Structure formats: structure tokens, C-alpha cells
Amino acid sequence: MEQLLGFAVPGIPYGCAYAVFAVGLVLTYQTTGVFNFGYGAQAYASAFVFAWLVDDHAWPTWAAFVCAVAILGPVLGLVFDRFLFRRIPSANSTAKVVTGLSLLVGIPALLPVVFGNGNLVGVPSVVFNPGTVYFHLGADVPVNGTYLSAVLFTVAMLVVVVLLLRTTHLGLEMRAAAESSRLLELEGVDAPRVTATAWAVSGLMAGIAGVLLAPTEVTVQAQDYVTLMVAAIAAAACAALRSMPIAALFGVLIGVVSLTAQGYLPTSSFWYSAVLPAFPFIVLVGALLFVPGLRRLGQATDPLSSVDPPLPPPAARARGREIDRIVRTGFWVLLFAFVVSMLTWMPPAWETVLNQGMAYSVVFLSVTFLTGTAGQLSLAQATLAGIAAFTAGQLAVHLGLDFLAGAVLGALAASLVAGLLAVASLRLRGLGLALMTLAAALLFDVAVFPAQAVSGGTGGLALEPHWLPLGLLSANGHDYFLLAFLVLVACVGAVRLVQRGTTGRFLAAMRGSELGAAGVGVDLAWQRVLAFVLSGALAGLGGTLLAIQQTVIAPGEFNYQLSLAFVVIVVTTGVGTVEGAIQAGIGLVVLEQLLQYAPGRLQGLAFVVFALGALTYAAHPEGIVELEKRRWTERAERVLSRRHRTPAPAVTGRS
Amino acid sequence: MSHDGRPALELDDVCAAYGPYRALFGVSFSVDKGAATALLGPNGAGKSTVARVVSGLLPASSGHVRVGGSDVTGKPPWAIARMGLSHVPEGRGVFDSLSVEENLVLSFRRRAGRRNLAASLERAYARFPLLAERRHHRAGTLSGGQQRLLSLAKVLVVPPGVLVADELSLGLAPGVVDDVYAALADVRASGTTLVVVEQQVDRALGLASSAVVLEHGSVAYFGPSSGARAVVAEVLERRSHPGVADRR
Ligand SMILES: Nc1ncnc2c1ncn2[C@@H]1O[C@H](COP(=O)(O)OP(=O)(O)OP(=O)(O)O)[C@@H](O)[C@H]1O
Ligand SMILES: [Mg+2]
């Protein structure tokens, strides 16, 4: 008993942190209708600014608290509402997920750019003195100020939030606004203001949580907040995003059970090294599989969503004949010029960069296919790429298999895992599916990829030159370029074929409306699994290409953050088309290479650029690059038609 | 009923569109204070769109909407609702996730005032005992007919100046439709100006003194209800035999 307490009590601060974040997530969901992935980023922003003011600028604690929490917190919430979430049609759950994700990716990358890379030290604890032991539980389990502050704060926050939501009229209006802002307006309530208030409250809560429950580690790091978020998401999912006390309970349980198990399990065991870190994600998967309330996630709640016009059609394919000829000729000329340049005058540094861009393009193709063609959102594409790369690597190590043959087998393994994932989440859609794939990605990150048998530890698996024919590895130049080019062309061709075939039509129908597609006899379950399998294979091929280019297969190259970034990047450049993937792949590496020349603090800016781009997704689901392309095509069309004095074709029509 | 000359509701050359898709083309009509008007027309004619433009859910792209003489064009729905216009939308018009009582509170708090909240609730429950029984159930668990009655309970207890009711009878059993129309008659008796959108022409014309018939987003008829039946028959006839000049 003593021992159990001794192990469990240190879990309390962690559990409380999870609980507070889980309550915040449920609060935001209940009052705004948005599952806010950006919540952790909001908390991080407040903690970062707070620590920056206190440590670097010697502000008094209270002043920093007012500035970083009482002001910055609500302001961030209001900005999210005003400029982002308010603009998203209530029925578009993909846009909400993508917007939240770009905040989660973008804000932590943006802060060091704005404030500089300080070594931020943890925030001081309030009310109780963190180090002081106030009393002992049982005979000798010390309870210090950190634990007391955590418990006190969690209980206080839970009580305040539940009271606000369940007993006040404002709380009632917030819940109503989350279900249907328009219906509430018909009652004469200024619903946009109610929603804005809800965002301000949510932002304030995030700020308070971020500062007061700064992870018990000494430094303030974005990583900690993201981990915190995932455990909190698991707890919130257990409560079906509905009950805040249940969410809090599961949050505390996850923290306490983890630390207790950590105490009892032998440090060398598989359970300790692989299962324990994955515990929150296992809970999340379990909740997604078994909590019935979660199956309705992402279903439109607003009975008045039929007032919104339908989504704009994908970038107009209807180019005039003449312009089509010009574009096609231009494309082939450019392609030819690109190949010739790569093989002749391109400086080696840039050749390497562009090679990498082509490998990324193949991975991104899996995203455009899955999201753009099939309308499914996966946050595990980097993981699938990693599965293929490690499979190929291990096959070469153990069986001496040629790496290229291994790549094919690896792609098969990735598509198998993708298929299993699709089967496991057949009953989920939208947000539920996104969470399931995220949980899978995290599972692989902490439990599979770091394992000795998979990657040989955190350093990764170095590729041996003799695994590859033709000295591909040593060149990293022309030979690799030809390989990557061929693979990319083959993959683009394959995706085009599928898109044009029957499967493509089924998938397009499913993307348009699952209900409608089922109505005309499309087997949704099978099409979905098929889409995942194909995209898994694409991601796998891209992953092995990337591994060859990097000459080492490192777990860090395939973690969940990259998966999130992948979605954000592809959505920016155009998720609806094959070109979107190539624009994304080349754009990412070129931008990163250009930033190499910029001062150090701007290194992380590439992701910020893409996150900003993804924020336009709500307004332009076809991607801003696609949007611009269409505009230029239309402009060119006008110029041409003026020259020929033919009237421009009418573009408007009725539904 | 007072007649100060200004109509309770007036549409003046209103056009409206859903993004690029145009739905109304210069709709004009007016409803006198305390009168009841039926808004008729085939599927897709634009009846719901007119209701949405009136309540502000869909902004008019041109033209004017006046409620009680004052221009409400471009105002947000909540501001128009506060001027005494109530819109019961097509389909579900209640908050599924809230309880029956919370639905009523949400409405009465603003329109009857905090003081009269308890009294208003009492009156709603007295008129619809069924809602009293279900007061703590989620509104989403009510049947379609019960949900319509819940919507009507709100307007019955605190009558608005103008009520726009969109297809209240849609999908209900005939007996339930009788209940709904009995409640509507009560609303009318309390002095509220009514605009009733309806597919069941006879029901609507039984209640209304004048009628508006829409076709392809334009007004095909506006006048006393007695003349409407023939026009509706004509419009439906044209629809089942689409002519050349028919598509816009
Ligand atoms: N959200 C929307 N986006 C695009 N077009 C729409 C939208 N809602 C309605 N429309 C179109 O506007 C026109 C008028 O629709 P409306 O719903 O007003 O018709 P209605 O007369 O109410 O028909 P019903 O009897 O079916 O309710 C129709 O052509 C319809 O297709
Ligand atoms: Mg209608």
C-alpha cells in the first residue's frame, strides 16, 4: 500500500495537467462546436510569453500573468474565432480539423521567430511553495506544493467551468450556439458574440492551464504541450467530448496509472520501454473503438446548414482549347528543361535538394490521393512511409535483400497497415478518423520505431552501399535523380489511372456525399479500405525513396509531427490534384533550402508559411496555389479571347 | 387590429443567391398587419429562400425587406428577430442537444424577460401538457410533430409581431397536422401577422386571406387567396410539361 501510494502520488501533477487540458477541450467543443487541436498551442503561447517576460525581461510575476494569460489568452481565442473558425461552414469538419492542425504546427514554430530562442526556464508555482513538503500520506509519502497546487487548481477549474456551462444563461446560450449558431440567432440572440465569448473563455482557460500547469520539467518546450494534448485528447474522447467531470477523471487516471505502472514494471522490459509510453494512445484507440458517442463526431449538427451554398467545384478543369495547348506544351518544355538541367549544370547542393523534393512529392501524392480524391483525412502518412522504409531496411539487414526489392515489399507492408487502420476505423468519419490515425501514428512513434529491432535505437538505421545496385547510394546525384524521377512518374501515372477509372468515380462520389454515394450503390467500407491501401503503398514508396536519399532511416524522419505537417503543406498547395503533391514536395524543400541562407531564428519559418497557407483552406478548399493557377488561367483566357474577338464563355450556371 | 397603413412585412424587388447560384429574381409582395398570407409554389420555387431572406439568414443581393415599416435589409438575423419577427425554419427547428425546458427558456428569456420566465413556462406547459411531461428530455428525442409543437409553443406564449412558418406540416401524420394548424390558428388569433409556407395548398388557403405563388424564384401570383388555387394548378401543370420558355 505504501509502495503503491509512493508510485501513484507523483502521477498526480501529470494527471491533473491532462485533466485540465481535457476539460478545456470538452469546454471548447461544447461551446463552439470545434475540436480545437490548437488548444495545446494556445497554452504553449501563454506559457512561452509568460516565461519570456519573467526570465528575459524580469517582469514581476503578476504583471507577466496579466499580460500573458489574462490578455493574450482571450485575445488568441478571439482571433481564432474572428479570422478562422467563424468563416468555416458549420458542416465542413475537414476544414475545422485542418485549421486546428495548422495552429498546432504553426504557433510553436512561429514563437521563436517572433521572440527569439531563449532558454526558457519553468514557471513559478503559485499559492503553494513547490518544494515544500506540506504533509505525508500514509507514513512516508511526501506531498509537496506542486501536487497541492495541481489538485487545487484542477478542482477549481472544473467547478468553475461546469457551473458556467450548466447553471448560467450564458452557458446555455453557448451550448445552443455550438449546436446551431443560426437557430440561436433566430431566437434574437447575438450568436456571433456568444461564440466569440466562448472562444475568449476557452483561450483564457488554455492560458491559465499553460502557465499554472507548465509541465513539471524545468524548461518550457512545445513538445511537452503536444504530448500533453494527446493524453488530454484521449481523456476527452473517453468522455465522448461531452462530460467534463468524466474527462477530468480519465485525465487523472491516465497520469496516475502511467506513473504507477512505471514504478512497478522492470525498466528493461518490453512493457516499460514500449507499452508504457504508448499508454495514452492505447486509451485513445480504445475510446474511439468502443465509446458509441464518438461515432457521431463530425456529423453536422446544424439543421440550418442547408443555407450555406455548396462547396465550390474543384479548380475549373474547363480550360479553353488554345490555352490548354499552350499549357501542355509549356509543361513538356519545362519538364525537359528540368531533366536536362538536373543532369548537366545544376549545382550539387540544389540537385540534392530537388531530389529530396521528388521523394517528398511521392509521399505527398498519398495525401492528395487520400484526401483530395477519396475525401478521407489521415494523420499517419509519415508513419506509413516509415513502416516501408524500416521494412526494407530490416529485410536488407537480415535477408540481404536488395533495397529496391525491399522497397516494394515495404510498400506492401505499409498498405497492409493502412488497410488495417481503415478497417479498424470503418465506423468513424471526419474528426474520429483523424484522431484514430493520429493515435496510430503516435503508437508507432513511441512503441515501434524506436525499438532496437526496428531502427537500432534512436540513431536510426544506416543504409549500406551494397544494398543498392548501380551505386545509387554514393551518388545522391544523377543516378538517384533518375530513380526518383521514374518512381514519381510511375506513381503519378498510377494515381491518374485510378482517378479516371471506376474506382476514381466511386471515390469522388464518396467524397461528395457518403450518404449519396451509398444511395447509388457504392460500397463505402470497401472503397475506403481500398483508398487507404493505395495511399499506404504510395506513402511507402515515397518513404523508401526518402530513406535512400538520406542514406539513413531515422525514426525522427517519420514522426507524427511530420504527418501533421504533411497534411498542412499539401492542403496549402492543392489537395485536389496530382500537381498539388509535386508543388508541395518541391515547395517544401526549396523553401527550407532558401531559409538556410536566412538568420538562425528563421529556420522554423517553412512550417509557419505552410500553416498560414493552410489557414486559407476554409475559404479556398482547392488550395491557394491551385486558386492562383485558376485565376491566371482565366486571365490568360480573357486576353486570348479578346485577341480573337470571340466572346468569353459564360461560366455561371444553376445547380 | 390596428391599421396604421404600413404593412407588417414588405418585400420590394428582392433578389437572392446561394453563392453563385441565384434563387430569387425580383420578388415583391406585402402582408398587412394581422393578416395571414400563404406562400405557395412547387419544390425549388424559392419559398424557403424567401423565408430566409425575410429573417436575415440569407442576405438579399438586391432589393429591400421591411418589417413593420422599417428597413431590415442586411441586418443580422438576431437583430431582425428582436424587431418581432419569428421564423420557424423548415425541418428541425429546435436544439436537439438541449432539453425541452432549455429550448423554451432560451426563447422566453429574451422575449418575455427574466421576470416572466416562470409564468411563460407555466403557460406553455398548460397549453401543451405533453411538453410538460417531457420537459427534462433532450429535444432530439421528441418526434417530428412534437418538435413542431415545441417550436409553436414558443411563439404561442409570447406572440411575435410576424411569424414566418416554413412547411410546418412536412412529414407529419394528418392528425398531427391538425394539431399544428390548431396552434397556428391560435397564434393568428393573438394578433400575429402570419406568413405560412406550405405544400398542402388547401391547409394554407384555409387559414390565409391572401396568397403569393412563386415559380422559379419569381412571383407568379399575388392577391386574394381565392384566386391562388387556379394559379398553383397552372404552375404545377407547366412543371410537369416543361415548355421551351420555361428554363431560366
Ligand atoms: N444551400 C443552397 N445552395 C445552393 N442552392 C440552393 C440552396 N438551397 C436552395 N437552393 C436552390 O434555391 C432554389 C430555391 O430553393 P428553396 O429551398 O427556397 O425552394 P422551396 O420552394 O422552399 O422548395 P421546397 O418545397 O423543396 O422546400 C432551388 O433551386 C434550390 O436548388
Ligand atoms: Mg422549402
Side-chain angles (χ1 to χ4, degrees), chain A residues 589-600:
Chain A
V589 290
V590 168
L591 193 60
E592 280 193 329
Q593 179 68 15
L594 289 178
L595 287 173
Q596 297 276 311
Y597 306 120

Side-chain angles (χ1 to χ4, degrees), chain A residues 57 80 107 109 186 298 419 429 435 447 456 459 461 526 558 635:
Chain A
H57 296 264
F80 285 8
I107 291 186
L186 291 184
R429 29 202 46 89
L435 288 178
L461 197 65
W526 167 240
F558 300 109
R635 242 168 256 161

Side-chain angles (χ1 to χ4, degrees), chain A residues 179 185 187-188 301 306, chain B residues 52 82 92 96-97 110 154:
Chain A
E179 184 179 334
E185 284 200 62
E187 298 292 355
T301 56
S306 62
Chain B
R52 289 163 177 175
R82 284 184 192 181
R92 176 161 70 85
D96 263 1
S97 62
R110 176 143 322 267
K154 297 184 203 168

